[in-house]
């Protein structure tokens, strides 16, 4: 309860805080006027009480003009001691609070000037009052304590402000990072959607267009084409479910891994069913690679074959994976129209080739596409970097 009350006071308007402080000091300063009078003490009067109150009222404005408030309170106190015969205060509460405020809010030069003035005033007051070293030491000690508390408060406020500013900067940086991560994830999902749908639809269209002719001339081939259409559709739906399941929060969503290098033979079979002959070769020291890298290889080959089916009009396609000590090179070469054709893959150079370059860059690699040897056909070549730990022994 006390902590909650303290927190409410801390969050209150500073003007109300200063008013409350002034009233609290007024209550403490009123004690000599309401307690039983000590034998031989100074007489109590309304005039003396009015002077005491007048010496505390400036505390309401202590944050707005700390030096002026200290000077006003000190002047009223000096006039009280000089011209009034009233009860004395145990401590000069008003001047101490005003001096504390100067230590908290004022710049260094102002603090030094005010501190020097306070020391001089304290020495004169002690000399005027008793002239004892004990009183002088006590007065300087109390004033120094008020100043030290004020500087401690200033340091604590500066530290708190720095921590809050740092927290705000971290929050802003985290928000920006989250937005960038979301943008990267949207781009990744867009690439996945493009690769899956573009490949599946292209294969299905090519096979469907060839279906009627095959039905009349080669029923067995037509049956294989329709089966390939169905298999392509089922595979696309399975991959879409897997990818979209990542976006769900329920545990029932599928979590199957993305297709890797091991799924390439099935992919090539579906493309073969659409017409072109497809060869597949792996050279070098074949080894297992990280799942993310294998998924990239699969998507690169898938997109390159999609371009072949849609644009190249090729009779044959060669797919090669060359395993090197520190990289894997993926090459897809066809004997189609090549970049000179109006509808060739090279001429299009659309989202598919852009996606291939982005996937290669994500693994620290490079992608190149252009005409084949002698200007015939089209070649897509991607070099993906593998880390030393992935190199076989």
């Amino acid at each position: 309860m006390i902590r909650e009350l303290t927190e409410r006071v801390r969050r209150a308007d500073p003007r109300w805080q200063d008013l409350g402080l002034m009233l609290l000091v007024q209550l403490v300063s009123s004690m000599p006027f309401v307690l039983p009078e000590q034998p031989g003490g100074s007489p109590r009067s309304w005039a003396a009480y009015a002077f005491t109150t007048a010496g505390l009222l400036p505390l309401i404005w202590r944050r707005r003009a700390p030096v002026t408030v200290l000077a006003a309170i000190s002047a009223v106190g000096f006039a009280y001691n000089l011209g009034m015969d009233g009860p004395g205060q145990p401590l000069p509460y008003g001047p101490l609070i005003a001096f504390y405020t100067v230590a908290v809010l004022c710049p260094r030069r102002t603090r030094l000037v005010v501190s020097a003035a306070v020391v001089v005033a304290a020495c004169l007051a002690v000399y005027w009052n008793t002239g004892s070293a004990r009183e002088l030491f006590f007065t300087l000690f109390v004033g120094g304590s008020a100043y030290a508390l004020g500087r401690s408060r200033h340091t604590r406020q500066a530290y708190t402000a720095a921590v809050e500013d740092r927290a705000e900067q971290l929050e802003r940086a985290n928000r920006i990072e989250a937005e960038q991560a979301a943008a990267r994830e949207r781009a990744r999902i867009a690439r996945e959607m493009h690769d899956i749908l573009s490949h599946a639809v292209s294969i299905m269209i090519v096979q469907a267009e060839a279906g009627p002719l095959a039905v009349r001339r080669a029923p067995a081939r037509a049956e294989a084409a329709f089966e390939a259409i169905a298999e392509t559709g089922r595979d696309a739906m399975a991959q879409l479910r897997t990818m979209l399941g990542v976006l769900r929060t329920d545990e029932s969503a599928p979590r199957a891994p993305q297709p890797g290098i091991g799924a390439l033979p099935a992919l090539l079979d579906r493309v073969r069913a659409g017409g072109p002959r497809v060869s597949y070769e792996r050279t070098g020291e074949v080894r297992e690679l990280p799942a993310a890298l294998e998924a990239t290889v699969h998507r690169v080959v898938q997109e390159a074959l999609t371009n072949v089916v849609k644009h190249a009009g090729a009779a044959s396609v060669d797919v090669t994976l060359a395993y090197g000590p520190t990289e894997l090179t993926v090459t897809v070469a066809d004997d189609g129209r090549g970049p000179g054709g109006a509808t060739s893959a090279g001429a299009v150079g659309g989202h598919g080739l852009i996606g291939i370059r982005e996937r290669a860059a994500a693994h620290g690699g490079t992608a190149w596409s252009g005409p084949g040897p002698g200007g015939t056909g089209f070649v897509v070549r991607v070099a993906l970097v593998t880390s030393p730990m992935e190199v076989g022994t």
Side-chain angles (χ1 to χ4, degrees), residues 303-304 306-313 332 334 336-354 356-357 368-372 375-380:
E303 180 56 36
T306 300
N307 287 341
V308 171
V309 172
K310 290 172 62 177
H311 307 297
V332 179
D334 65 72
R337 286 185 288 268
T343 59
S344 68
V348 174
H351 296 294
L353 295 181
I354 293 175
I356 289 176
R357 287 193 293 269
W368 175 87
S369 59
T376 303
F378 194 75
V379 178
V380 174

Side-chain angles (χ1 to χ4, degrees), residues 204-294:
M204 294 169 71
I205 289 175
V206 170
Q207 293 171 345
E209 288 177 343
L213 181 62
V215 168
R216 293 191 297 269
R217 297 184 179 180
R221 183 177 177 183
E223 183 177 352
F226 290 135
E227 177 60 29
I229 292 174
E231 179 62 25
T232 301
R234 286 193 294 268
D235 180 71
M237 288 299 297
Q239 293 188 50
L240 286 174
R241 289 194 189 99
T242 299
M243 184 177 63
L244 296 177
V246 176
L247 305 178
R248 300 175 183 170
T249 57
D250 59 289
E251 295 299 326
S252 63
R255 294 292 188 270
Q258 295 193 64
I261 295 177
L264 285 180
L267 172 66
L268 302 183
D269 288 340
R270 290 194 296 272
V271 175
R272 292 189 186 101
R277 297 183 301 274
V278 183
S279 66
Y280 177 45
E281 182 182 8
R282 293 199 287 179
T283 63
E285 185 180 354
V286 178
R287 59 186 181 276
E288 185 177 355
L289 299 175
L293 188 59
E294 291 207 3

Side-chain angles (χ1 to χ4, degrees), residues 35-389:
L35 293 177
E37 188 173 349
Q38 297 294 330
S42 302
R44 294 175 288 188
S45 66
W46 286 106
Y49 187 72
F51 254 88
T52 301
T53 303
L56 299 176
L57 282 176
L59 289 176
I60 299 176
W61 298 277
R62 68 185 184 94
R63 299 176 196 256
R64 281 168 279 184
V67 176
T68 303
V69 168
L70 175 60
I73 293 177
S74 300
V76 173
F78 178 75
Y80 181 86
N81 293 327
L82 184 64
M84 299 296 299
D85 187 17
Q89 301 295 330
L91 284 173
Y93 301 108
L96 288 176
I97 294 175
F99 192 37
Y100 163 88
T101 307
V102 169
V104 173
L105 301 179
C106 291
R108 183 172 182 272
R109 178 176 296 182
T110 302
R111 295 198 310 270
L112 292 177
V113 173
V114 172
S115 298
V118 168
V119 170
V120 172
C123 293
L124 293 176
V126 171
Y127 177 77
W128 182 277
N129 189 22
T130 63
S132 65
R134 179 179 180 181
E135 182 181 1
L136 178 61
F137 174 78
F138 179 77
T139 302
L140 294 178
F141 175 79
V142 172
S145 299
Y147 184 87
L149 287 174
R151 294 312 300 161
S152 175
R153 173 64 175 175
H154 173 82
T155 303
R156 189 162 56 251
Q157 287 177 340
Y159 174 77
T160 302
V163 170
E164 291 176 350
D165 181 67
R166 177 61 177 167
E168 184 179 351
Q169 292 180 0
L170 287 176
E171 182 180 359
R172 188 183 305 111
N174 290 337
R175 184 170 61 252
I176 293 174
E177 183 178 356
E179 292 174 354
Q180 292 175 344
R184 291 192 297 268
E185 185 64 12
R186 286 194 296 268
R188 186 192 69 81
I189 292 175
R191 287 196 304 268
E192 296 290 336
M193 293 284 288
H194 174 274
D195 291 350
I196 294 172
L197 295 178
S198 179
H199 173 78
V201 172
S202 297
I203 297 298
M204 294 169 71
I205 289 175
V206 170
Q207 293 171 345
E209 288 177 343
L213 181 62
V215 168
R216 293 191 297 269
R217 297 184 179 180
R221 183 177 177 183
E223 183 177 352
F226 290 135
E227 177 60 29
I229 292 174
E231 179 62 25
T232 301
R234 286 193 294 268
D235 180 71
M237 288 299 297
Q239 293 188 50
L240 286 174
R241 289 194 189 99
T242 299
M243 184 177 63
L244 296 177
V246 176
L247 305 178
R248 300 175 183 170
T249 57
D250 59 289
E251 295 299 326
S252 63
R255 294 292 188 270
Q258 295 193 64
I261 295 177
L264 285 180
L267 172 66
L268 302 183
D269 288 340
R270 290 194 296 272
V271 175
R272 292 189 186 101
R277 297 183 301 274
V278 183
S279 66
Y280 177 45
E281 182 182 8
R282 293 199 287 179
T283 63
E285 185 180 354
V286 178
R287 59 186 181 276
E288 185 177 355
L289 299 175
L293 188 59
E294 291 207 3
T296 295
V297 173
H298 186 279
R299 295 304 185 199
V300 166
V301 174
Q302 183 183 56
E303 180 56 36
L305 292 177
T306 300
N307 287 341
V308 171
V309 172
K310 290 172 62 177
H311 307 297
S316 64
V317 186
D318 298 324
V319 178
T320 305
L321 305 186
Y323 290 80
T326 59
E327 69 176 15
L328 171 66
T329 303
V330 182
T331 304
V332 179
D334 65 72
D335 61 354
R337 286 185 288 268
T343 59
S344 68
V348 174
H351 296 294
L353 295 181
I354 293 175
I356 289 176
R357 287 193 293 269
E358 291 177 347
R359 291 181 184 277
H363 291 277
T366 58
W368 175 87
S369 59
T376 303
F378 194 75
V379 178
V380 174
R381 184 174 294 109
V382 176
L384 301 173
V385 176
T386 58
S387 66
M389 291 186 64

